[in-house]
Amino acid sequence: MDKFESLKLQIEKILDSDKTVLIFIRHGETEANFTKQLSGWHDVKLTEQGLNEGKQLSKAFQPLRDRFAGIFCSDLSRARLTAELALGSSDKIQQSMELRELNFGDHQNKVYSADNKSIYEILFTQQYQAPNGENWNDVQNRIMKYLRSQINKKGVYLIFTHGGAIFSMTHQFGYTNTIKNCSCIGLELDINTLEIMNQLFYWEFPTQ
């Protein structure tokens, strides 16, 4: 069994359960990912590899497309196109700017390599505050406020978004960096309080 079939089976089990689950999927590779730039709200394009990654996700998501309680994506093209490629259609996808990456403010397009220690050493910590931008709690609150306004029944919801946006949801589970491009993570939601309860799975996109 390959990794995509394994992901499909994992999602099917959740769909057949009584759980309410948010599955966050990071978009495919962009040029900014490759050069380690903080693209934030800048609308950068997917690379050829990123396009291929989105197409490969369709092996797991497209057969299940009609079974999700809701499908959402950031309005930035890298997330929107990944969602369309993974699902084979744009029909059921709701776009929102509330699902965007962290607004990096004055750090927009800055490189976050070890050579730029002022950003690199604190970026994925709760101390990080983008100058004239957001911090990780801001992003989490923004995204969850939007999702709570959309969720009105039990089921599995897909959210195609960004690495930092997902980190804002997962740091409470011990993550110290973003998940890889086109990887995904399932978080169980309490349907009464609409609070995240626990992590159900993490699936990492296979390396070539």
Side-chain angles (χ1 to χ4, degrees):
M1 182 188 303
D2 70 14
K3 288 200 70 172
F4 298 99
E5 181 64 19
S6 175
L7 174 61
K8 177 175 173 288
L9 291 175
Q10 197 162 30
I11 294 172
E12 281 182 308
K13 288 180 181 178
I14 297 171
L15 285 164
D16 291 335
S17 73
D18 197 37
K19 291 180 171 64
T20 300
V21 179
L22 307 177
I23 298 180
F24 288 94
I25 305 104
R26 187 182 179 186
H27 61 74
E29 183 194 72
T30 68
E31 190 64 35
N33 294 148
F34 186 74
T35 57
K36 294 192 177 298
Q37 289 176 282
L38 299 172
S39 48
W41 286 25
H42 184 57
D43 200 11
V44 297
K45 294 182 179 180
L46 296 176
T47 61
E48 285 300 316
Q49 178 173 317
L51 292 168
N52 185 54
E53 289 168 346
K55 291 174 185 175
Q56 289 191 68
L57 281 183
S58 67
K59 300 173 188 176
F61 288 105
Q62 192 168 338
L64 306 174
R65 184 175 62 201
D66 296 330
R67 297 186 61 189
F68 297 111
I71 304 171
F72 308 99
C73 76
S74 160
D75 65 334
L76 296 174
S77 63
R78 57 193 186 271
R80 187 183 71 246
L81 186 52
T82 300
E84 292 172 358
L85 290 169
L87 295 163
S89 169
S90 61
D91 294 347
K92 297 178 179 293
I93 304 170
Q94 298 182 56
Q95 299 179 44
S96 175
M97 68 179 297
E98 300 302 317
L99 300 176
R100 286 185 177 188
E101 179 62 285
L102 183 144
N103 182 343
F104 283 104
D106 296 345
H107 283 169
Q108 181 81 26
N109 295 323
K110 298 286 188 183
V111 173
Y112 61 96
S113 71
D115 294 332
N116 193 344
K117 291 185 178 181
S118 62
I119 298 176
Y120 185 79
E121 292 182 349
I122 65 166
L123 181 59
F124 294 110
T125 71
Q126 290 309 293
Q127 286 71 50
Y128 180 72
Q129 170 68 57
N132 295 312
E134 295 177 304
N135 60 43
W136 297 119
N137 286 333
D138 293 333
V139 184
Q140 183 185 55
N141 292 337
R142 163 164 56 81
I143 290 174
M144 290 306 299
K145 180 180 179 182
Y146 171 75
L147 292 176
R148 288 175 183 130
S149 74
Q150 301 298 312
I151 294 173
N152 53 25
K153 61 181 180 180
K154 289 184 177 181
V156 178
Y157 296 82
L158 300 185
I159 303 99
F160 290 84
T161 184
H162 307 268
I166 296 172
F167 170 76
S168 77
M169 302 290 162
T170 59
H171 67 79
Q172 62 182 299
F173 301 111
Y175 287 77
T176 57
N177 209 320
T178 59
I179 66 174
K180 293 183 178 180
N181 293 105
C182 276
S183 298
C184 58
I185 190 164
L187 304 178
E188 185 176 4
L189 199 68
D190 185 312
I191 192 59
N192 297 311
T193 65
L194 295 183
E195 296 288 340
I196 293 173
M197 295 168 56
N198 56 70
Q199 176 184 321
L200 294 180
F201 74 90
Y202 168 54
W203 179 86
E204 188 170 284
F205 193 90
T207 54
Q208 301 301 315

